[in-house]
Amino acid sequence: MHFFHDHILSITLFTPLLGLLVLLFIPGGNKNAVRWWGNIGMFIGFLVSLPLVFWFMEEAPDQQFKFVERVDWIPSIGAQYHLGIDGISFLLIMLTTVLGFISVLSSWTAIQERMKEYYAMFFLLQMGMLGVFMSLDFFLFYVFWEVMLVPMYFLIGVWGGPRKLYAAIKFFLYTLAGSVLMLLGILALYFQYHTDTGVYTFNVLALIQHTWPANLQFWVFWAFMIGFAIKVPMFPFHTWLPDAHVEAPTAGSVILAGVLLKMGTYGFIRFSLPLLPQASSAQTTIKIMVTLSIIAIVYGALVSLMQRDMKKLIAYSSVSHLGFCTLGIFALNPHGLSGSVIQQINHGISTGALFLIVGLIYERRHTREIKELGGLSNVMPTYAMLFMIIMLSSIGLPLLNGFIGEFTILQGAFEVNWRWAAWGVSGIVLGAAYMLWLYQRTMFGVCDNPKNQVLKDLNLREIMTLVPLVIWAFWIGLYPKPFFQVLEKPVAAIVQRVNPAFYASAAALNTAPPPAAAPAAAVDPAAAHSSPGAAH
C-alpha cells in the first residue's frame, strides 16, 4: 500500500499504457473482446486515480506540490522524470480520468470499424493528457504534449466525418506550429539558466525561482502565448476548432472539448504566470490578453447564434466559454484565477456532456441539422430531461456548476475593471440565448417528422454516460467549497509571484489604524462639559 501511495502518479499515468499493451494481444477480429477491454481498461484508469480524491488534502499540507516523484532520466541534458501535482493539476487529472472513461463508453455502438486501433489511440491519448498535467520537468512535459497530438490526429482523420482529413491536418498543423514556438521558448530559458548558473536543467520549480531578464521574459512569454493560445483556442487562433469538433467522432469531441482545450489555459497558469511574472503582469500584456478574451466571449456567442448544425454551435460556444477562463487568468487575482480553474472543470463537464447529447441523437438520425429535429421531448422524455439539465448548466443557472465559475471570474474581473465584467455579462446573456434557442427548436413543439416519431429513448448505457456529469454539475453548483479549498494555496502562490501588490494592498487595508477621533478632541472642553450629553 505504501508503494501505491508513494507512486500513485506514475501508476495513474502508465495504467493506460498497460491497457494498450494488453489490447495488442487481443485479436482484432474479436470485436466484443476489444470493446470490453477498451472500456474495462479505461475504467481501471479511473479507479486507480480515485484515491487521489481522499489523499490529496492530507498529503504534505505544507508543500505546494504533492506526491512528488523525481528520478534522473537523461542526466547529460539535465532532464528528469519529475512528477508532482497541486490543486490545479489535481482537478484536471480527475476530469481527465472521468471523461476518458465516459468517452470510451459512449463509443460502444458508434465505432464498428478498426475498433482495436480506435481503443489503442484512446489509451495513448489518455496517457499523454495525464502526463501534461503531472510533469514538473519541461522536457518531460514537452514529450507528453507532443505524444497527445498524434492519437487525436488519427481519431479525427480515421473515424471522423466527411471532411475528416482536412480537419485532422488543420488541427495537426496549427497545434504543431504552436508547439515549435513553445519549444523555442523552453530552450531560451534552458540556455539562459545555464549562462547564469552553470547548470543545465529543465526542472520547472528551479526555473520558476530564477530571476529572468525583462527582455527575455517578453520574448518567451509571446512564444508561450501563441503555443498555448492555439490550444485554448483564443481568438484569432480558433479556426481549427469548429472543423475538428464537427468532423471528430463523438468521443473525440468530448475529450477534445473536455480536456485538450484545457492544456492551453493550464499552460498559462502553470508556466507563463509564475515563470515570467514581469511579462505576464505588464500593462500591455494584460490589455492584449483581456481584449482577446472579451472578443472571444462575444464573438463565439454571436457566431453560435447563427449555426444550423448542433455540433458546430457547441464548438463555437467553447470559444466563448474559454474566453471567460483566459479573462479570469489575466485578472491576476485569487478570484479570477480560482474561477478560471473551476470554469475549466465546468466546461469539461457541461460541454463534454453536450457533445454526448449531440452524439446520441446523431446515432439515431444521422443528422445534426437543427431544422431536421423538433418535438423530441414527446418521444424521448429522458433524453430531453438530461439535455435540459446540461443546457442550464452550460448557461450558468444558479445551483449548477456554470454559475459558480462565471460568478467568481466576473468578481475577479470586476475587482480590476468593471468594464471587463460588463462585457463578460453580455457573453452570458448571449450564451443563454443560443442554448435556449437550440433547446426550444429541438425539444419543443409538435414532433411532425415521421423519422423522429419512431426514435427510441436512451438505454441504460447511454444514461450512465450522462448521469455522472449531471451529478458533478450539481455537486459544484450546490457545494463548491472543496474545489476552492484545493485551489487556495496554488492560486495564492501564483498571485504572490505575478501580482505581489495585490496581497500588499490587502495587508495594508487589514492593518490600517481605525479612524482617529480628531473631531471629538478638537471640541472645546468647556463646551463639552456644558453639552447635554455631559450630564449623562
Side-chain angles (χ1 to χ4, degrees):
M1 192 65 183
H2 283 295
F3 180 85
F4 180 65
H5 177 278
D6 295 342
H7 297 88
I8 187 168
L9 294 189
S10 289
I11 294 168
T12 303
L13 174 60
F14 292 115
T15 298
L17 183 62
L18 183 63
L20 173 58
L21 292 175
V22 173
L23 184 68
L24 295 179
F25 291 98
I26 299 176
N30 190 344
K31 290 189 175 182
N32 269 337
V34 169
R35 185 188 291 117
W36 273 102
W37 176 249
N39 283 273
I40 290 169
M42 293 298 272
F43 186 62
I44 292 170
F46 164 66
L47 290 179
V48 165
S49 70
L50 203 54
L52 284 171
V53 176
F54 306 102
W55 293 344
F56 184 82
M57 290 305 286
E58 284 75 29
E59 178 73 14
D62 56 333
Q63 296 177 17
Q64 184 182 349
F65 289 94
K66 308 184 180 191
F67 305 103
V68 174
E69 299 176 43
R70 189 171 176 180
V71 180
D72 279 342
W73 180 27
I74 314 176
S76 57
I77 62 170
Q80 295 178 315
Y81 175 76
H82 190 184
L83 305 181
I85 59 171
D86 62 0
I88 297 165
S89 39
F90 161 65
L91 291 179
L92 289 166
I93 285 166
M94 294 315 300
L95 178 71
T96 305
T97 58
V98 170
L99 284 182
F101 168 63
I102 287 174
S103 299
V104 168
L105 184 60
S106 74
S107 310
W108 191 274
T109 55
I111 303 298
Q112 298 295 335
E113 295 180 1
R114 297 192 178 185
M115 196 179 287
K116 184 174 177 177
E117 294 92 326
Y118 177 83
Y119 288 109
M121 290 297 114
F122 249 100
F123 278 126
L124 188 59
L125 178 64
Q126 187 80 344
M127 186 186 73
M129 294 186 300
L130 290 169
V132 165
F133 295 133
M134 293 179 184
S135 299
L136 292 180
D137 181 277
F138 254 135
F139 189 86
L140 187 66
F141 165 80
Y142 192 78
V143 168
F144 284 122
W145 183 276
E146 292 300 289
V147 162
M148 194 175 57
L149 181 60
V150 177
M152 196 66 221
Y153 168 80
F154 283 112
L155 284 170
I156 298 170
V158 176
W159 294 275
R163 299 172 72 241
K164 58 190 179 186
L165 288 178
Y166 167 77
I169 291 169
K170 192 174 182 181
F171 162 77
F172 194 92
L173 290 177
Y174 261 83
T175 311
L176 186 64
S179 300
V180 170
L181 279 172
M182 185 175 70
L183 178 61
L184 290 174
I186 293 170
L187 291 174
L189 296 177
Y190 174 75
F191 287 113
Q192 181 66 41
Y193 189 84
H194 175 260
T195 302
D196 294 345
T197 66
V199 176
Y200 284 118
T201 185
F202 287 102
N203 185 337
V204 172
L205 304 184
L207 296 175
I208 285 175
Q209 296 304 318
H210 192 66
T211 303
W212 305 101
N215 192 44
L216 178 71
Q217 284 197 37
F218 173 82
W219 289 109
V220 173
F221 177 86
W222 291 109
F224 280 6
M225 181 268 177
I226 294 173
F228 297 144
I230 288 172
K231 206 75 172 180
V232 169
M234 290 182 73
F235 178 91
F237 306 103
H238 67 284
T239 57
W240 65 267
L241 181 69
D243 292 311
H245 268 317
V246 169
E247 301 306 323
T250 298
S253 292
V254 172
I255 213 73
L256 180 60
V259 183
L260 260 70
L261 303 189
K262 311 308 177 298
M263 303 295 176
T265 47
Y266 177 77
F268 281 123
I269 294 171
R270 172 65 70 241
F271 304 115
S272 297
L273 267 58
L275 258 175
L276 313 163
Q278 282 178 271
S280 301
S281 59
Q283 284 302 309
T284 305
T285 301
I286 291 172
K287 282 180 183 175
I288 292 171
M289 299 304 290
V290 168
T291 301
L292 292 178
S293 301
I294 289 170
I295 291 172
I297 290 169
V298 179
Y299 165 82
L302 287 172
V303 176
S304 294
L305 275 168
M306 306 302 293
Q307 298 309 311
R308 299 175 181 179
D309 182 301
M310 289 177 76
K311 212 172 185 184
K312 193 168 270 192
L313 184 151
I314 297 164
Y316 275 108
S317 80
S318 289
V319 177
S320 183
H321 287 300
L322 269 297
F324 277 102
C325 295
T326 49
L327 175 63
I329 290 169
F330 285 92
L332 301 184
N333 56 33
H335 284 131
L337 275 166
S338 299
S340 175
V341 179
I342 296 290
Q343 191 62 6
Q344 289 169 47
I345 305 301
N346 293 340
H347 179 263
I349 296 167
S350 304
T351 307
L354 285 171
F355 278 118
L356 287 172
I357 287 286
V358 175
L360 290 170
I361 201 64
Y362 183 75
E363 276 191 58
R364 287 160 167 76
R365 282 286 279 108
H366 301 290
T367 181
R368 294 185 299 262
E369 289 287 320
I370 295 170
K371 67 180 180 181
E372 289 291 318
L373 307 170
L376 294 184
S377 61
N378 297 303
V379 291
M380 301 175 71
T382 306
Y383 176 83
M385 180 187 70
L386 291 169
F387 187 4
M388 181 187 71
I389 295 169
I390 293 158
M391 178 266 298
L392 294 174
S393 153
S394 181
I395 287 173
L397 189 77
L399 304 185
L400 285 163
N401 57 339
F403 174 75
I404 301 297
E406 287 173 352
F407 181 86
T408 315
I409 288 171
L410 291 175
Q411 187 177 359
F414 195 94
E415 288 171 10
V416 184
N417 189 324
W418 67 267
R419 292 178 181 83
W420 300 358
W423 281 108
V425 167
S426 71
I428 293 174
V429 174
L430 290 169
Y434 63 70
M435 287 308 302
L436 289 168
W437 176 79
L438 170 65
Y439 191 82
Q440 178 232 324
R441 297 245 300 183
T442 54
M443 296 296 113
F444 293 153
V446 180
C447 186
D448 52 7
N449 187 329
K451 293 179 182 177
N452 297 335
Q453 290 169 355
V454 294
L455 295 179
K456 292 182 179 179
D457 206 352
L458 303 187
N459 59 40
L460 181 61
R461 177 189 60 82
E462 292 168 333
I463 291 171
M464 290 311 299
T465 61
L466 292 168
V467 165
L469 299 178
V470 169
I471 292 170
W472 204 353
F474 275 111
W475 179 13
I476 295 177
L478 293 168
Y479 188 60
K481 182 183 175 183
F483 298 87
F484 284 107
Q485 272 184 324
V486 300
L487 292 174
E488 188 175 353
K489 285 186 179 177
V491 163
I494 293 168
V495 174
Q496 185 64 54
R497 177 89 178 146
V498 75
N499 186 17
F502 177 86
Y503 286 115
S505 58
L509 282 173
N510 290 334
T511 58
V523 176
D524 179 17
H529 283 296
S530 62
S531 67
H536 301 285

